[in-house]
Amino acid sequence: MFRIEAEVDKARRDLLRSRLRDTNTAASPVLRALRGERERDVPLHLWAMDDTDDLAGGLVGHTWAGWLHITYLWVAAPHRGTGLGSHLLTQAEHLAHTDRSCTAARVETWDFQAPDFYRKQGYEVACTIPDYPPGLTEYTLIKRLG
C-alpha cells in the first residue's frame, strides 16, 4: 500500500531528480558518455542595468549536455526595440559556445511573445503545441551554435 502526498517539498524534488538522472544515465549510452562537466546543469545569467541601476533586461538559462537552455529572456518596455534582447541572446550564445562547448541552443515561447524575434536570430521551430494553454500556441525553437 502507498500513501500519496501532495505538497511542495524541495528535498524530495531534488532526490527524485537525482534518482531519475541516475536511471536515465544508466539506460542511455549517450547520457553515460556525457558524464562529467557537460552533464551538470550550469546556470547562465545575464543582467542589463540602465543608467539608474534598474533592471533593463535579462536572460536566465543553463547549459547542459552541450546545449544552452534559455528559460527567460525579458526586456523592459522602454528598452524594447533597442537591440538589447538581441545583445543578451548573442552574449549568452557566445558564452555557452566558447566557454562551455555548447553546440546548440533551445527556447520555448508563446505565439504572443517572441517566436518572430527568435527566428530573426537564426532559430528554427522544432515543435509547435497548439492550445497550450488553451487559446495560445507554444513554440520550441532551436539553433546550432558556432
Side-chain angles (χ1 to χ4, degrees), residues 46 48 55-59 72-89 114 117-118:
L46 299 172
L55 183 64
L59 183 146
Y72 309 119
L73 173 57
W74 175 83
V75 174
H79 306 288
R80 292 181 190 150
T82 66
L84 178 56
S86 299
H87 182 69
L88 287 165
L89 184 59
F117 165 80
Y118 288 107

Side-chain angles (χ1 to χ4, degrees), residues 1-142:
M1 195 59 147
F2 299 97
R3 180 180 74 245
I4 305 297
E5 299 175 4
E7 66 180 88
V8 174
D9 184 324
K10 291 180 182 179
R12 286 183 186 165
R13 178 205 61 200
D14 292 345
L15 177 61
L16 181 76
R17 182 178 178 188
S18 173
R19 289 182 178 175
L20 179 60
R21 183 175 283 168
D22 291 347
T23 300
N24 291 345
T25 300
S28 168
V30 172
L31 294 178
R32 280 195 305 276
L34 292 173
R35 283 191 186 140
E37 287 303 306
R38 290 184 60 175
E39 182 183 75
R40 293 183 298 130
D41 275 333
V42 179
L44 194 154
H45 297 180
L46 299 172
W47 311 109
M49 309 308 289
D50 67 16
D51 294 340
T52 65
D53 247 4
D54 195 19
L55 183 64
L59 183 146
V60 171
H62 67 276
T63 56
W64 176 77
W67 282 74
L68 165 62
H69 295 252
I70 301 159
T71 308
Y72 309 119
L73 173 57
W74 175 83
V75 174
H79 306 288
R80 292 181 190 150
T82 66
L84 178 56
S86 299
H87 182 69
L88 287 165
L89 184 59
T90 300
Q91 183 68 26
E93 292 169 352
H94 175 75
L95 290 171
H97 181 66
T98 59
D99 294 355
R100 302 180 187 192
S101 302
C102 290
T103 58
R106 65 171 284 169
V107 64
E108 291 144 0
T109 189
W110 285 307
D111 52 4
F112 72 90
Q113 288 178 319
D116 292 336
F117 165 80
Y118 288 107
R119 284 187 190 109
K120 289 177 187 173
Q121 306 303 315
Y123 285 73
E124 297 177 2
V125 175
C127 174
T128 304
I129 305 174
D131 235 19
Y132 180 74
L136 299 177
T137 299
E138 182 182 83
Y139 295 91
T140 300
L141 297 101
I142 61 172

